[in-house]
Amino acid sequence: MPLKIYNSLTRSKEEFTPLHPGQVTMYVCGPTVYGHAHLGHAKSYVSFDVVLKWLRHLGYRVTYIQNITDVGHLTDDADEGEDKIARQARREQTDPMEIAQLYTRSYYEDMDRLGVDRPNIAPTATGHIPDQIALIRTLIEKGHAYEVNGNVYFSVESFPGYGKLSGRTTDDARQPGGRVEARSEKRHPADFALWKKAEPGHLMKWESPWSEGYPGWHAECSAMAMKYLGETIDIHGGGMENKFPHHECEIAQSEAATGHPYVRYWMHNNMVTVDGTKMGKSLGNFINLKDIFNEFEPIVIRFFILQSHYRSPLDFSHQAVKASQTGLEKLRESWLRLTASAPGEEDIDTDAYENRLVEAMNDDFNTPVALAVLFDLSKAINTALDSGGLKEEARNDCIRLFSTFGIEVLGILDNRPNTVNEASTSIAQALEGAMSLLLDIRQKARQSKDYETSDLIRDRLDEAGITIKDTREGAEWKLG
Ligand SMILES: Nc1ncnc2c1ncn2[C@@H]1O[C@H](COP(=O)(O)OP(=O)(O)OP(=O)(O)O)[C@@H](O)[C@H]1O
Ligand SMILES: [Zn+2]
């Protein structure tokens, strides 16, 4: 089965074929860096990390761009309100650039801990002002944008495709965000700002042909995506709340400027919620990743996220993450037992498991199903190991499947020594307990002159690679 992706634009699962064979261009909206990343961000970026890893596993050369929004994202979607970064700078009594840099570093720190691969290019909005100005200039030249009092707006009525992603019409959008539009200088209430003239005292501002000001939030993604990936990109991702207005506006301004389709596959992740409400910085109900990492290993959070599909909502609770932790422990134990196991006679139909894993990932990156298959496989492995071990070939295939899907693609198992050490410690403790029991039983058998039982214990342990030595202090055991 070939890879199928749910395309938000056509509202259907489509077979994936990139524009250029063997190569994929992918753009995902990055964070607005005015606070530490929260669990909602983790869902978005872990989900797209798995998309990236699976595409690379399939052999595509993927160029992955994820921007950093460090200017232009206002507190209100309707082109009003304060810049989020500037507002935070005011609160922390520092420069906006310091805020942006502080939280950019913090963001990558958290994503690294979650095992999220860094993008090939991470362009910032402030680093691409000339590109945004060039895009706006083209839109004005082509009659899709107009200037009023130093502000530039995109004219939604000039672009018939406006609304094709979100399903909104320009009439629906008459009052973006459901509010009565305050600014009357727009020709149509749904027109959105491409450039804004800076108010007095505004710190982040640049020279432009229209005014000293700053770009609207939507302009940066179009300008940077097209600069690095070309006029038509294969995959564009982001959270579903960004379909409107952000992505709708991106489509309008990009396609109006180039005359070409902007994105072939639009992908949107669903939301992390708390008691059914979206987790968000502006809503104040967020849980910082740094705080969660004090309680749970980052890999547990990654596992928790991937246990639900990227297009499903994920409700956060401590109990739910604890349950994930227990589940992950089971997988880890099987993985460790498998790698430490000696060959035996048991067989597993690993092809069947592999087919199910590939099918799950090719079915719009269905990570919960892939994880369920890994659990089934781990049960089969445990049963085989309990019955004396796996045949060499089956054992190698199982190791390959765990490495490919558990480590490389899903990133929920690792080879990090501390994890292995933690797991080995618990196995060593269990072994210690079991051995002390066996040696006690053997001692009792010897005392009652039941040499048949005591020899049986010694010989069977010997076969299992454990040597018993009788000393004056009592019996001792060692591996090998
Ligand atoms: N609760 C959430 N669940 C899933 N994805 C989210 C969530 N919150 C944000 N995202 C996604 O993270 C990316 C970065 O979002 P952004 O930095 O604008 O964060 P935000 O917390 O939504 O900010 P704000 O609350 O101020 O709107 C976007 O693609 C967004 O859709
Ligand atoms: Zn964007």
PDB file of all heavy atoms in Angstrom, residues 428 431-432 435-436 438-439 442 457-471 474-480:
ATOM      1  N   ALA A 428      18.295  -6.672  36.850  1.00  0.00           N
ATOM      2  CA  ALA A 428      19.308  -7.250  37.739  1.00  0.00           C
ATOM      3  C   ALA A 428      18.726  -7.495  39.131  1.00  0.00           C
ATOM      4  O   ALA A 428      18.967  -8.534  39.746  1.00  0.00           O
ATOM      5  CB  ALA A 428      20.514  -6.322  37.831  1.00  0.00           C
ATOM      6  N   LEU A 431      16.501 -10.495  38.975  1.00  0.00           N
ATOM      7  CA  LEU A 431      17.315 -11.719  38.864  1.00  0.00           C
ATOM      8  C   LEU A 431      17.903 -12.091  40.223  1.00  0.00           C
ATOM      9  O   LEU A 431      17.907 -13.252  40.624  1.00  0.00           O
ATOM     10  CB  LEU A 431      18.437 -11.479  37.839  1.00  0.00           C
ATOM     11  CG  LEU A 431      19.341 -12.657  37.533  1.00  0.00           C
ATOM     12  CD1 LEU A 431      18.560 -13.804  36.890  1.00  0.00           C
ATOM     13  CD2 LEU A 431      20.479 -12.238  36.606  1.00  0.00           C
ATOM     14  N   GLU A 432      18.352 -11.068  40.913  1.00  0.00           N
ATOM     15  CA  GLU A 432      18.926 -11.270  42.255  1.00  0.00           C
ATOM     16  C   GLU A 432      17.903 -11.971  43.161  1.00  0.00           C
ATOM     17  O   GLU A 432      18.215 -12.953  43.835  1.00  0.00           O
ATOM     18  CB  GLU A 432      19.270  -9.890  42.838  1.00  0.00           C
ATOM     19  CG  GLU A 432      20.228  -9.884  43.997  1.00  0.00           C
ATOM     20  CD  GLU A 432      21.636 -10.261  43.557  1.00  0.00           C
ATOM     21  OE1 GLU A 432      22.157  -9.659  42.594  1.00  0.00           O
ATOM     22  OE2 GLU A 432      22.178 -11.164  44.196  1.00  0.00           O
ATOM     23  N   MET A 435      17.258 -15.615  42.028  1.00  0.00           N
ATOM     24  CA  MET A 435      18.400 -16.489  42.308  1.00  0.00           C
ATOM     25  C   MET A 435      18.485 -16.820  43.782  1.00  0.00           C
ATOM     26  O   MET A 435      18.791 -17.959  44.155  1.00  0.00           O
ATOM     27  CB  MET A 435      19.705 -15.822  41.846  1.00  0.00           C
ATOM     28  CG  MET A 435      19.939 -15.893  40.366  1.00  0.00           C
ATOM     29  SD  MET A 435      19.805 -17.544  39.705  1.00  0.00           S
ATOM     30  CE  MET A 435      21.091 -18.373  40.626  1.00  0.00           C
ATOM     31  N   SER A 436      18.189 -15.846  44.612  1.00  0.00           N
ATOM     32  CA  SER A 436      18.273 -16.120  46.041  1.00  0.00           C
ATOM     33  C   SER A 436      17.217 -17.165  46.436  1.00  0.00           C
ATOM     34  O   SER A 436      17.477 -18.063  47.229  1.00  0.00           O
ATOM     35  CB  SER A 436      18.167 -14.783  46.789  1.00  0.00           C
ATOM     36  OG  SER A 436      17.236 -14.843  47.782  1.00  0.00           O
ATOM     37  N   LEU A 438      16.027 -19.540  44.374  1.00  0.00           N
ATOM     38  CA  LEU A 438      16.477 -20.839  43.844  1.00  0.00           C
ATOM     39  C   LEU A 438      17.566 -21.454  44.718  1.00  0.00           C
ATOM     40  O   LEU A 438      17.573 -22.658  44.981  1.00  0.00           O
ATOM     41  CB  LEU A 438      17.008 -20.660  42.413  1.00  0.00           C
ATOM     42  CG  LEU A 438      15.940 -20.602  41.326  1.00  0.00           C
ATOM     43  CD1 LEU A 438      16.561 -20.242  39.990  1.00  0.00           C
ATOM     44  CD2 LEU A 438      15.230 -21.966  41.223  1.00  0.00           C
ATOM     45  N   LEU A 439      18.485 -20.603  45.175  1.00  0.00           N
ATOM     46  CA  LEU A 439      19.583 -21.134  46.008  1.00  0.00           C
ATOM     47  C   LEU A 439      19.055 -21.615  47.358  1.00  0.00           C
ATOM     48  O   LEU A 439      19.536 -22.612  47.895  1.00  0.00           O
ATOM     49  CB  LEU A 439      20.688 -20.092  46.180  1.00  0.00           C
ATOM     50  CG  LEU A 439      21.443 -19.748  44.891  1.00  0.00           C
ATOM     51  CD1 LEU A 439      22.566 -18.754  45.167  1.00  0.00           C
ATOM     52  CD2 LEU A 439      22.022 -20.989  44.208  1.00  0.00           C
ATOM     53  N   ARG A 442      17.539 -24.962  46.706  1.00  0.00           N
ATOM     54  CA  ARG A 442      18.594 -25.956  46.494  1.00  0.00           C
ATOM     55  C   ARG A 442      19.227 -26.354  47.828  1.00  0.00           C
ATOM     56  O   ARG A 442      19.486 -27.529  48.091  1.00  0.00           O
ATOM     57  CB  ARG A 442      19.653 -25.372  45.550  1.00  0.00           C
ATOM     58  CG  ARG A 442      20.772 -26.333  45.232  1.00  0.00           C
ATOM     59  CD  ARG A 442      21.599 -25.833  44.062  1.00  0.00           C
ATOM     60  NE  ARG A 442      22.821 -26.589  43.913  1.00  0.00           N
ATOM     61  CZ  ARG A 442      23.957 -26.306  44.528  1.00  0.00           C
ATOM     62  NH1 ARG A 442      24.023 -25.249  45.339  1.00  0.00           N
ATOM     63  NH2 ARG A 442      25.022 -27.055  44.356  1.00  0.00           N
ATOM     64  N   ILE A 457      18.642 -28.255  39.718  1.00  0.00           N
ATOM     65  CA  ILE A 457      18.705 -26.781  39.770  1.00  0.00           C
ATOM     66  C   ILE A 457      20.057 -26.300  39.246  1.00  0.00           C
ATOM     67  O   ILE A 457      20.136 -25.403  38.393  1.00  0.00           O
ATOM     68  CB  ILE A 457      18.452 -26.268  41.208  1.00  0.00           C
ATOM     69  CG1 ILE A 457      16.984 -26.527  41.595  1.00  0.00           C
ATOM     70  CG2 ILE A 457      18.791 -24.780  41.341  1.00  0.00           C
ATOM     71  CD1 ILE A 457      16.641 -26.201  43.033  1.00  0.00           C
ATOM     72  N   ARG A 458      21.142 -26.936  39.729  1.00  0.00           N
ATOM     73  CA  ARG A 458      22.473 -26.499  39.294  1.00  0.00           C
ATOM     74  C   ARG A 458      22.640 -26.661  37.777  1.00  0.00           C
ATOM     75  O   ARG A 458      23.088 -25.770  37.071  1.00  0.00           O
ATOM     76  CB  ARG A 458      23.546 -27.300  40.042  1.00  0.00           C
ATOM     77  CG  ARG A 458      24.961 -26.763  39.794  1.00  0.00           C
ATOM     78  CD  ARG A 458      26.029 -27.759  40.166  1.00  0.00           C
ATOM     79  NE  ARG A 458      25.812 -29.011  39.469  1.00  0.00           N
ATOM     80  CZ  ARG A 458      26.054 -30.219  39.996  1.00  0.00           C
ATOM     81  NH1 ARG A 458      26.520 -30.344  41.224  1.00  0.00           N
ATOM     82  NH2 ARG A 458      25.820 -31.327  39.290  1.00  0.00           N
ATOM     83  N   ASP A 459      22.192 -27.861  37.260  1.00  0.00           N
ATOM     84  CA  ASP A 459      22.399 -28.129  35.823  1.00  0.00           C
ATOM     85  C   ASP A 459      21.562 -27.209  34.935  1.00  0.00           C
ATOM     86  O   ASP A 459      22.036 -26.700  33.915  1.00  0.00           O
ATOM     87  CB  ASP A 459      22.061 -29.592  35.502  1.00  0.00           C
ATOM     88  CG  ASP A 459      23.045 -30.536  36.188  1.00  0.00           C
ATOM     89  OD1 ASP A 459      24.131 -30.033  36.620  1.00  0.00           O
ATOM     90  OD2 ASP A 459      22.744 -31.725  36.325  1.00  0.00           O
ATOM     91  N   ARG A 460      20.311 -27.001  35.355  1.00  0.00           N
ATOM     92  CA  ARG A 460      19.448 -26.144  34.525  1.00  0.00           C
ATOM     93  C   ARG A 460      19.947 -24.698  34.535  1.00  0.00           C
ATOM     94  O   ARG A 460      19.894 -23.995  33.516  1.00  0.00           O
ATOM     95  CB  ARG A 460      17.992 -26.208  34.995  1.00  0.00           C
ATOM     96  CG  ARG A 460      17.325 -27.556  34.709  1.00  0.00           C
ATOM     97  CD  ARG A 460      17.073 -27.746  33.213  1.00  0.00           C
ATOM     98  NE  ARG A 460      16.098 -26.801  32.698  1.00  0.00           N
ATOM     99  CZ  ARG A 460      14.785 -27.018  32.761  1.00  0.00           C
ATOM    100  NH1 ARG A 460      14.301 -28.134  33.255  1.00  0.00           N
ATOM    101  NH2 ARG A 460      13.950 -26.106  32.297  1.00  0.00           N
ATOM    102  N   LEU A 461      20.445 -24.239  35.653  1.00  0.00           N
ATOM    103  CA  LEU A 461      20.997 -22.880  35.708  1.00  0.00           C
ATOM    104  C   LEU A 461      22.244 -22.791  34.844  1.00  0.00           C
ATOM    105  O   LEU A 461      22.484 -21.806  34.151  1.00  0.00           O
ATOM    106  CB  LEU A 461      21.311 -22.477  37.151  1.00  0.00           C
ATOM    107  CG  LEU A 461      20.090 -22.121  37.997  1.00  0.00           C
ATOM    108  CD1 LEU A 461      20.495 -21.918  39.450  1.00  0.00           C
ATOM    109  CD2 LEU A 461      19.411 -20.854  37.479  1.00  0.00           C
ATOM    110  N   ASP A 462      23.013 -23.852  34.866  1.00  0.00           N
ATOM    111  CA  ASP A 462      24.221 -23.899  34.050  1.00  0.00           C
ATOM    112  C   ASP A 462      23.867 -23.748  32.569  1.00  0.00           C
ATOM    113  O   ASP A 462      24.484 -22.969  31.837  1.00  0.00           O
ATOM    114  CB  ASP A 462      24.931 -25.236  34.313  1.00  0.00           C
ATOM    115  CG  ASP A 462      26.337 -25.202  33.739  1.00  0.00           C
ATOM    116  OD1 ASP A 462      27.119 -24.291  34.126  1.00  0.00           O
ATOM    117  OD2 ASP A 462      26.636 -26.017  32.857  1.00  0.00           O
ATOM    118  N   GLU A 463      22.804 -24.482  32.165  1.00  0.00           N
ATOM    119  CA  GLU A 463      22.342 -24.374  30.765  1.00  0.00           C
ATOM    120  C   GLU A 463      21.907 -22.944  30.441  1.00  0.00           C
ATOM    121  O   GLU A 463      22.062 -22.470  29.325  1.00  0.00           O
ATOM    122  CB  GLU A 463      21.124 -25.281  30.544  1.00  0.00           C
ATOM    123  CG  GLU A 463      21.475 -26.719  30.237  1.00  0.00           C
ATOM    124  CD  GLU A 463      20.214 -27.598  30.269  1.00  0.00           C
ATOM    125  OE1 GLU A 463      19.128 -27.099  29.896  1.00  0.00           O
ATOM    126  OE2 GLU A 463      20.318 -28.757  30.693  1.00  0.00           O
ATOM    127  N   ALA A 464      21.338 -22.268  31.439  1.00  0.00           N
ATOM    128  CA  ALA A 464      20.856 -20.893  31.228  1.00  0.00           C
ATOM    129  C   ALA A 464      21.986 -19.869  31.349  1.00  0.00           C
ATOM    130  O   ALA A 464      21.746 -18.659  31.302  1.00  0.00           O
ATOM    131  CB  ALA A 464      19.756 -20.578  32.223  1.00  0.00           C
ATOM    132  N   GLY A 465      23.213 -20.364  31.530  1.00  0.00           N
ATOM    133  CA  GLY A 465      24.359 -19.449  31.566  1.00  0.00           C
ATOM    134  C   GLY A 465      24.676 -18.911  32.949  1.00  0.00           C
ATOM    135  O   GLY A 465      25.355 -17.884  33.074  1.00  0.00           O
ATOM    136  N   ILE A 466      24.178 -19.610  33.985  1.00  0.00           N
ATOM    137  CA  ILE A 466      24.472 -19.157  35.355  1.00  0.00           C
ATOM    138  C   ILE A 466      25.236 -20.272  36.087  1.00  0.00           C
ATOM    139  O   ILE A 466      24.784 -21.424  36.135  1.00  0.00           O
ATOM    140  CB  ILE A 466      23.165 -18.822  36.112  1.00  0.00           C
ATOM    141  CG1 ILE A 466      22.474 -17.649  35.416  1.00  0.00           C
ATOM    142  CG2 ILE A 466      23.433 -18.507  37.583  1.00  0.00           C
ATOM    143  CD1 ILE A 466      21.082 -17.362  35.890  1.00  0.00           C
ATOM    144  N   THR A 467      26.411 -19.934  36.601  1.00  0.00           N
ATOM    145  CA  THR A 467      27.237 -20.956  37.265  1.00  0.00           C
ATOM    146  C   THR A 467      27.078 -20.835  38.777  1.00  0.00           C
ATOM    147  O   THR A 467      27.111 -19.735  39.328  1.00  0.00           O
ATOM    148  CB  THR A 467      28.729 -20.725  36.927  1.00  0.00           C
ATOM    149  OG1 THR A 467      28.809 -20.454  35.539  1.00  0.00           O
ATOM    150  CG2 THR A 467      29.580 -21.927  37.276  1.00  0.00           C
ATOM    151  N   ILE A 468      26.931 -22.014  39.434  1.00  0.00           N
ATOM    152  CA  ILE A 468      26.803 -22.040  40.896  1.00  0.00           C
ATOM    153  C   ILE A 468      28.092 -22.594  41.482  1.00  0.00           C
ATOM    154  O   ILE A 468      28.630 -23.594  40.986  1.00  0.00           O
ATOM    155  CB  ILE A 468      25.657 -22.976  41.308  1.00  0.00           C
ATOM    156  CG1 ILE A 468      24.388 -22.559  40.605  1.00  0.00           C
ATOM    157  CG2 ILE A 468      25.527 -23.060  42.824  1.00  0.00           C
ATOM    158  CD1 ILE A 468      23.339 -22.004  41.442  1.00  0.00           C
ATOM    159  N   LYS A 469      28.576 -21.934  42.511  1.00  0.00           N
ATOM    160  CA  LYS A 469      29.791 -22.415  43.168  1.00  0.00           C
ATOM    161  C   LYS A 469      29.481 -22.542  44.655  1.00  0.00           C
ATOM    162  O   LYS A 469      28.967 -21.603  45.269  1.00  0.00           O
ATOM    163  CB  LYS A 469      30.902 -21.384  42.946  1.00  0.00           C
ATOM    164  CG  LYS A 469      32.286 -21.948  43.124  1.00  0.00           C
ATOM    165  CD  LYS A 469      33.311 -20.959  42.594  1.00  0.00           C
ATOM    166  CE  LYS A 469      34.383 -20.747  43.643  1.00  0.00           C
ATOM    167  NZ  LYS A 469      35.042 -19.485  43.571  1.00  0.00           N
ATOM    168  N   ASP A 470      29.775 -23.723  45.210  1.00  0.00           N
ATOM    169  CA  ASP A 470      29.530 -23.899  46.643  1.00  0.00           C
ATOM    170  C   ASP A 470      30.768 -23.464  47.423  1.00  0.00           C
ATOM    171  O   ASP A 470      31.860 -23.933  47.146  1.00  0.00           O
ATOM    172  CB  ASP A 470      29.179 -25.360  46.933  1.00  0.00           C
ATOM    173  CG  ASP A 470      27.802 -25.686  46.385  1.00  0.00           C
ATOM    174  OD1 ASP A 470      26.831 -24.991  46.769  1.00  0.00           O
ATOM    175  OD2 ASP A 470      27.688 -26.596  45.537  1.00  0.00           O
ATOM    176  N   THR A 471      30.594 -22.569  48.355  1.00  0.00           N
ATOM    177  CA  THR A 471      31.725 -22.115  49.171  1.00  0.00           C
ATOM    178  C   THR A 471      31.383 -22.371  50.640  1.00  0.00           C
ATOM    179  O   THR A 471      30.255 -22.784  50.951  1.00  0.00           O
ATOM    180  CB  THR A 471      31.971 -20.604  48.979  1.00  0.00           C
ATOM    181  OG1 THR A 471      30.863 -19.915  49.568  1.00  0.00           O
ATOM    182  CG2 THR A 471      32.105 -20.217  47.528  1.00  0.00           C
ATOM    183  N   GLY A 474      28.422 -20.607  51.792  1.00  0.00           N
ATOM    184  CA  GLY A 474      27.154 -20.955  51.133  1.00  0.00           C
ATOM    185  C   GLY A 474      27.355 -20.900  49.619  1.00  0.00           C
ATOM    186  O   GLY A 474      28.469 -20.647  49.148  1.00  0.00           O
ATOM    187  N   ALA A 475      26.237 -21.095  48.887  1.00  0.00           N
ATOM    188  CA  ALA A 475      26.364 -21.122  47.425  1.00  0.00           C
ATOM    189  C   ALA A 475      26.438 -19.693  46.867  1.00  0.00           C
ATOM    190  O   ALA A 475      25.788 -18.790  47.384  1.00  0.00           O
ATOM    191  CB  ALA A 475      25.181 -21.861  46.829  1.00  0.00           C
ATOM    192  N   GLU A 476      27.245 -19.544  45.804  1.00  0.00           N
ATOM    193  CA  GLU A 476      27.321 -18.247  45.108  1.00  0.00           C
ATOM    194  C   GLU A 476      26.973 -18.487  43.643  1.00  0.00           C
ATOM    195  O   GLU A 476      27.145 -19.589  43.137  1.00  0.00           O
ATOM    196  CB  GLU A 476      28.751 -17.707  45.173  1.00  0.00           C
ATOM    197  CG  GLU A 476      29.115 -17.105  46.507  1.00  0.00           C
ATOM    198  CD  GLU A 476      30.587 -16.698  46.547  1.00  0.00           C
ATOM    199  OE1 GLU A 476      31.286 -16.819  45.511  1.00  0.00           O
ATOM    200  OE2 GLU A 476      31.017 -16.278  47.612  1.00  0.00           O
ATOM    201  N   TRP A 477      26.502 -17.434  42.983  1.00  0.00           N
ATOM    202  CA  TRP A 477      26.243 -17.616  41.546  1.00  0.00           C
ATOM    203  C   TRP A 477      26.892 -16.484  40.759  1.00  0.00           C
ATOM    204  O   TRP A 477      27.129 -15.395  41.273  1.00  0.00           O
ATOM    205  CB  TRP A 477      24.730 -17.669  41.294  1.00  0.00           C
ATOM    206  CG  TRP A 477      23.976 -16.399  41.612  1.00  0.00           C
ATOM    207  CD1 TRP A 477      23.480 -16.035  42.822  1.00  0.00           C
ATOM    208  CD2 TRP A 477      23.663 -15.329  40.721  1.00  0.00           C
ATOM    209  NE1 TRP A 477      22.879 -14.826  42.756  1.00  0.00           N
ATOM    210  CE2 TRP A 477      22.960 -14.365  41.466  1.00  0.00           C
ATOM    211  CE3 TRP A 477      23.907 -15.102  39.358  1.00  0.00           C
ATOM    212  CZ2 TRP A 477      22.506 -13.179  40.893  1.00  0.00           C
ATOM    213  CZ3 TRP A 477      23.427 -13.929  38.782  1.00  0.00           C
ATOM    214  CH2 TRP A 477      22.744 -12.982  39.560  1.00  0.00           C
ATOM    215  N   LYS A 478      27.171 -16.792  39.510  1.00  0.00           N
ATOM    216  CA  LYS A 478      27.649 -15.737  38.598  1.00  0.00           C
ATOM    217  C   LYS A 478      27.210 -16.057  37.185  1.00  0.00           C
ATOM    218  O   LYS A 478      26.945 -17.225  36.856  1.00  0.00           O
ATOM    219  CB  LYS A 478      29.175 -15.583  38.695  1.00  0.00           C
ATOM    220  CG  LYS A 478      30.015 -16.705  38.189  1.00  0.00           C
ATOM    221  CD  LYS A 478      31.484 -16.289  38.264  1.00  0.00           C
ATOM    222  CE  LYS A 478      32.447 -17.377  37.872  1.00  0.00           C
ATOM    223  NZ  LYS A 478      32.528 -17.718  36.482  1.00  0.00           N
ATOM    224  N   LEU A 479      27.125 -14.982  36.366  1.00  0.00           N
ATOM    225  CA  LEU A 479      26.757 -15.200  34.966  1.00  0.00           C
ATOM    226  C   LEU A 479      27.964 -15.730  34.219  1.00  0.00           C
ATOM    227  O   LEU A 479      29.080 -15.286  34.435  1.00  0.00           O
ATOM    228  CB  LEU A 479      26.327 -13.869  34.331  1.00  0.00           C
ATOM    229  CG  LEU A 479      24.997 -13.285  34.796  1.00  0.00           C
ATOM    230  CD1 LEU A 479      24.751 -11.944  34.148  1.00  0.00           C
ATOM    231  CD2 LEU A 479      23.837 -14.223  34.459  1.00  0.00           C
ATOM    232  N   GLY A 480      27.718 -16.752  33.369  1.00  0.00           N
ATOM    233  CA  GLY A 480      28.791 -17.280  32.509  1.00  0.00           C
ATOM    234  C   GLY A 480      29.593 -18.375  33.181  1.00  0.00           C
ATOM    235  O   GLY A 480      29.386 -18.717  34.331  1.00  0.00           O
TER     236      GLY A 480
END
